[in-house]
Amino acid sequence: MKTIQFREAICEAMSEEMRRDESIFLMGEEVAEYNGAYKASKGMLDEFGAKRVIDTPIAELGFAGIAIGSTMTGNRPIVEYMTFNFSLVGIDQIINNAAKIRQMSGGQFNCPIVFRGPTASAGQLAATHSQAFENWFANTPGLKVVVPSNPYDAKGLLKSAIRDNDPVIFMESEQMYGDKGEVPEGEYTIPLGVAEIKREGTDVTIVSFGKIIKEAYIAADQLAKEGISCEIIDLRTVRPMDRDAILTSVKKTNRLIVLEEAWPFGNVATEITYLVQSEAFDYLDAPVIKINTADTPAPYSPVLLAEWLPDHKDVITAVKKVMYK
């Protein structure tokens, strides 16, 4: 094992796959000459050249369409968005083309493409740069949605995403690029659609994904001192969702909290809540609680942002509520 940063795990995954398969290329704003806005493609231009690591104009609709079209001629592109907030400029290409090519061509064409970049809030970046769109993309048939929370998962999942024959939305975090973690020296992949129990527990299940899961770990450590045992599930892949992992855990702990950095209406937590009440209702000893951001655009003020964003205190309060303590 070696210890590397999250951004290095992303770079290693892309580079290893590009060495393995010449049909893979990377394109996006500042991915080449500048080594990536977050240095997640550092050194790749030097190794693979300008035909496979391509700087684009600030035109997400255009380069998303170019990349999607290239899949129909045998390529496997990786598209980097500087932030998924900017993917909204190209969302027509993602929703109406990438997600539907296989069905609308009667299976004649696959669309093996990865759209990747940071999601959700990253400090004081204000309302239009602090949005989580995992549930938007997960709502679309034909798309897979991956949200890793650490370097090990990021590398293994990204390699699987690049090899997948369907379009994958791969969502990272600006606040995790510097995170360090252990990653194997050799080749490995992590299958899409498989959640992981990050912490075993017996009293309550906490389901989360992405950077916000760190707040669940802090809460679980504090609650353990009070004799409350939390089981933490990292979804890793939002779609396809590992329904069995969630249901198995809830049937053991009989309580569920879902922690998600997203607006509260119609999100991933809502889908999980419906899943559990429809397939494990008789196992529940308390109502499901979902923890989300406030139902407003993200504020710029650091004081208001702290109130808007869920944290470990919210998790502790929710756990004690379902434990009737």
Side-chain angles (χ1 to χ4, degrees), residues 77 103 128 214 243 254:
Q103 185 197 44
T128 59
K214 296 178 184 180
R243 297 157 60 94
N254 310 118

Side-chain angles (χ1 to χ4, degrees), residues 5 32 51 72 94 106 113 128 146 152 174 177 214 243 247 249 260 263 265:
Q5 290 184 331
K51 288 187 177 181
M72 303 176 77
I94 299 172
I113 187 170
T128 59
V146 181
Y152 175 87
E174 293 166 64
Y177 284 121
K214 296 178 184 180
R243 297 157 60 94
L247 292 171
S249 180
E260 177 189 7
W263 296 308
F265 188 91

Side-chain angles (χ1 to χ4, degrees), residues 67 88 118 166 184 207 240 280:
L88 299 190
D166 292 312
V207 176

Side-chain angles (χ1 to χ4, degrees), residues 92-126:
D92 175 61
Q93 290 287 353
I94 299 172
I95 302 297
N96 280 329
N97 291 318
K100 297 176 174 63
I101 283 175
R102 181 193 288 271
Q103 185 197 44
M104 294 182 69
S105 69
Q108 295 178 83
F109 295 104
N110 298 327
C111 187
I113 187 170
V114 175
F115 299 96
R116 49 157 295 270
T119 184
S121 64
Q124 289 179 266
L125 296 181

Side-chain angles (χ1 to χ4, degrees), residues 48-190:
F48 299 105
K51 288 187 177 181
R52 295 185 67 196
V53 182
I54 305 165
D55 277 331
T56 66
I58 303 174
E60 289 81 6
L61 179 64
F63 65 75
I66 290 170
I68 292 166
S70 79
T71 68
M72 303 176 77
T73 60
N75 291 297
R76 307 180 71 90
I78 305 166
V79 173
E80 177 180 308
Y81 291 118
M82 197 175 294
T83 160
F84 263 97
N85 297 278
F86 301 161
S87 76
L88 299 190
V89 181
I91 200 168
D92 175 61
Q93 290 287 353
I94 299 172
I95 302 297
N96 280 329
N97 291 318
K100 297 176 174 63
I101 283 175
R102 181 193 288 271
Q103 185 197 44
M104 294 182 69
S105 69
Q108 295 178 83
F109 295 104
N110 298 327
C111 187
I113 187 170
V114 175
F115 299 96
R116 49 157 295 270
T119 184
S121 64
Q124 289 179 266
L125 296 181
T128 59
H129 291 69
S130 304
Q131 302 168 109
F133 296 117
E134 292 91 322
N135 58 311
W136 285 32
F137 292 112
N139 183 254
T140 306
L143 298 180
K144 298 177 180 178
V145 181
V146 181
V147 193
S149 64
N150 59 77
Y152 175 87
D153 288 351
K155 182 176 180 180
L157 290 166
L158 182 52
K159 288 171 72 71
S160 292
I162 294 169
R163 296 180 189 185
D164 200 285
N165 286 325
D166 292 312
V168 179
I169 308 295
F170 195 92
M171 309 180 93
E172 303 154 13
S173 169
E174 293 166 64
Q175 292 186 326
M176 290 198 302
Y177 284 121
D179 288 1
K180 292 183 178 181
E182 288 191 338
V183 171
E185 293 279 0
E187 168 76 11
Y188 76 100
T189 59
I190 297 173

